[in-house]
Amino acid sequence: MDQCVTVERELEKVLQKFSGYGQLCERSLEDLIQYAGGLRREILQTENQDGDLSGTISLVMTQCCKRIKDTVQKLASEHKDIHSSVSRVGKAIDKNFDSDISSVGIDGCWQTESQRILNEVMVEHFFRQGMLDVAEELCQESGLSIDQSQKEPFVELNRILEALKVRVLRPALEWAVSNREMLMAQNSSLEFKLHRLYFISLLMGGTANQREALQYAKNFQPFALNHQKDIQVLMGSLVYLRQGIENSPYVHLLDANQWADICDIFTRDACALLGLSVESPLSVSFSAGCVALPALINIKAVIEQRQCTGVWNQKDELPIEVDLGKKCWYHSIFACPILRQQTTDNNPPMKLVCGHIISRDALNKMFNGSK
């Protein structure tokens, strides 16, 4: 992180110089244009019939040429100074970042099967981002065969998200109504919040939409038990339709942030129904790799310096623990207090009658020991 701050500091200096240089160029050129324009008008007014310039005008022209030349030289000098600042950014990058990261790679990591899995993850990432053409091209070039049923959910989700971003609720409402039972099974508030947003959009129309808003309020009936207070607030806002919701105590209903929130809620609940994580596995893995890479490069250098290459010989295990932060915590890890080993699928944690938790291997050993 410190390396990024150092490079960013150098980059800020360059950007400031670019901004200052641009302003200097603009002022200098405007001054020259005004000066040359004034000189031209003066020449036209004092020009004699023979077309010859007087000695005074010739002197003024010479001074004008010298001024233009000096200005150009000054701008060129300032421009050279910017070049040196840009080169310092490159030196800062070379100094703070290792351009060769092949030392932490493992030969033979991407075999046929693992390469296929990586391609599938990349295709899914492009589907998630709505880059359907890129995903199709990758499938053709890598020889992957993706079933149409795997593509359709992503196509539909991206279509609905694009509509929500431009504040069109109808596609999302239709999707939520068709999946109401599954959404309610996971205690989702998505459908209610979509109806709430649509009701608020009617309120913004004033008294002209009063009858339609009252009629639409019937859609809140299935959610009366869990969202009673929210519904009461929405109904109370109808009293202020004549003076406008923006001039009432209910102005918070018009908060623009709720549109960003509904996009996040829709993405989370839709991914949950599809059995997918909210974030792309590829982006999560990439972010984790960026955090872990500096530590891995450092430990690799220490291993090579001390000639203890046998420390890092496992393909699925690192020689040090890398803290990726809580945002990358997806599963809790339990270590057995008896055997001092992490539990696995084959050796899961077991809860005793007394409330203590140990691994199954430890429990079996206790049985064998007649405890």
Side-chain angles (χ1 to χ4, degrees):
M1 190 63 185
D2 294 336
Q3 291 87 343
C4 293
V5 172
T6 302
V7 174
E8 186 176 5
R9 192 180 299 118
E10 292 293 335
L11 185 59
E12 286 293 336
K13 292 180 181 178
V14 173
L15 293 176
Q16 289 177 2
K17 286 193 173 183
F18 265 113
S19 177
Y21 180 74
Q23 295 174 2
L24 176 63
C25 284
E26 188 174 352
R27 288 196 305 269
S28 300
L29 293 176
E30 286 180 355
D31 291 342
L32 285 179
I33 291 172
Q34 291 178 2
Y35 179 69
L39 182 58
R40 179 177 180 272
R41 289 191 295 270
E42 185 178 348
I43 292 173
L44 292 176
Q45 292 174 359
T46 60
E47 185 179 8
N48 55 34
Q49 295 179 354
D50 297 333
D52 296 331
L53 296 177
S54 65
T56 304
I57 296 298
S58 298
L59 180 60
V60 172
M61 285 290 294
T62 303
Q63 292 175 348
C64 179
C65 292
K66 184 178 182 302
R67 180 174 177 179
I68 293 174
K69 183 179 179 180
D70 291 343
T71 302
V72 171
Q73 289 179 347
K74 181 180 179 180
L75 294 178
S77 176
E78 293 284 345
H79 193 268
K80 288 181 180 179
D81 187 44
I82 292 179
H83 275 283
S84 62
S85 299
V86 173
S87 65
R88 281 197 292 270
V89 174
K91 292 177 181 178
I93 293 174
D94 294 337
K95 180 180 179 180
N96 291 277
F97 297 97
D98 194 339
S99 58
D100 183 15
I101 61 174
S102 60
S103 59
V104 298
I106 300 176
D107 295 335
C109 175
W110 300 111
Q111 301 295 338
T112 304
E113 181 62 21
S114 56
Q115 183 67 47
R116 182 188 62 80
I117 295 174
L118 176 62
N119 289 334
E120 289 181 354
V121 172
M122 293 172 64
V123 169
E124 180 183 323
H125 175 78
F126 289 131
F127 278 140
R128 283 172 173 265
Q129 301 299 318
M131 304 169 67
L132 306 181
D133 296 339
V134 177
E136 293 286 353
E137 187 67 26
L138 179 58
C139 288
Q140 293 180 6
E141 293 185 4
S142 62
L144 281 178
S145 178
I146 303 297
D147 189 73
Q148 186 65 27
S149 59
Q150 294 179 264
K151 305 176 187 178
E152 290 177 355
F154 294 109
V155 175
E156 184 179 17
L157 294 187
N158 279 287
R159 177 181 62 84
I160 295 173
L161 276 175
E162 289 299 321
L164 287 176
K165 289 177 182 178
V166 295
R167 301 192 176 188
V168 176
L169 293 168
R170 183 60 61 187
L173 275 169
E174 292 174 354
W175 183 89
V177 171
S178 62
N179 294 278
R180 175 179 295 176
E181 293 183 2
M182 290 185 289
L183 288 172
M184 295 185 70
Q186 64 181 29
N187 296 322
S188 170
S189 61
L190 174 63
E191 185 181 353
F192 169 74
K193 291 188 175 181
L194 288 170
H195 285 303
R196 178 179 178 275
L197 272 177
Y198 193 87
F199 185 83
I200 292 173
S201 67
L202 293 176
L203 294 180
M204 294 172 65
T207 55
N209 293 338
Q210 182 175 359
R211 184 180 298 276
E212 184 179 357
L214 288 171
Q215 186 69 20
Y216 192 83
K218 295 179 180 179
N219 290 290
F220 295 135
Q221 184 176 357
F223 313 100
L225 183 62
N226 296 327
H227 301 279
Q228 180 179 356
K229 290 185 178 180
D230 290 331
I231 296 174
Q232 289 174 347
V233 170
L234 293 173
M235 293 298 100
S237 65
L238 291 171
V239 178
Y240 295 90
L241 281 183
R242 188 175 298 278
Q243 69 183 61
I245 301 299
E246 63 277 5
N247 302 317
S248 73
Y250 297 92
V251 66
H252 65 277
L253 295 177
L254 307 181
D255 187 3
N257 291 331
Q258 57 191 341
W259 286 97
D261 294 339
I262 200 66
C263 291
D264 293 337
I265 294 172
F266 172 78
T267 301
R268 185 184 66 243
D269 292 350
C271 288
L273 290 187
L274 295 174
L276 301 171
S277 60
V278 176
E279 297 185 32
S280 166
L282 181 63
S283 61
V284 172
S285 301
F286 182 80
S287 300
C290 291
V291 174
L293 189 58
L296 297 181
I297 292 176
N298 291 337
I299 190 64
K300 190 71 173 182
V302 172
I303 289 174
E304 293 177 351
Q305 183 179 1
R306 298 186 179 181
Q307 297 181 352
C308 47
T309 56
V311 175
W312 193 353
N313 54 11
Q314 298 292 329
K315 291 185 177 181
D316 57 350
E317 185 175 344
L318 298 176
I320 58 172
E321 182 177 356
V322 179
D323 185 10
L324 299 178
K326 291 187 177 181
K327 64 179 182 180
C328 288
W329 289 4
Y330 294 97
H331 304 283
S332 59
I333 298 175
F334 174 74
C336 176
I338 304 298
L339 299 180
R340 306 292 183 183
Q341 295 176 348
Q342 291 183 5
T343 55
T344 62
D345 292 340
N346 297 326
N347 180 29
M350 308 293 290
K351 183 177 180 180
L352 305 181
V353 178
C354 58
H356 293 91
I357 300 177
I358 60 176
S359 65
R360 186 163 64 184
D361 288 350
L363 184 61
N364 291 335
K365 286 188 176 183
M366 294 175 67
F367 281 145
N368 296 332
S370 301
K371 291 185 179 180

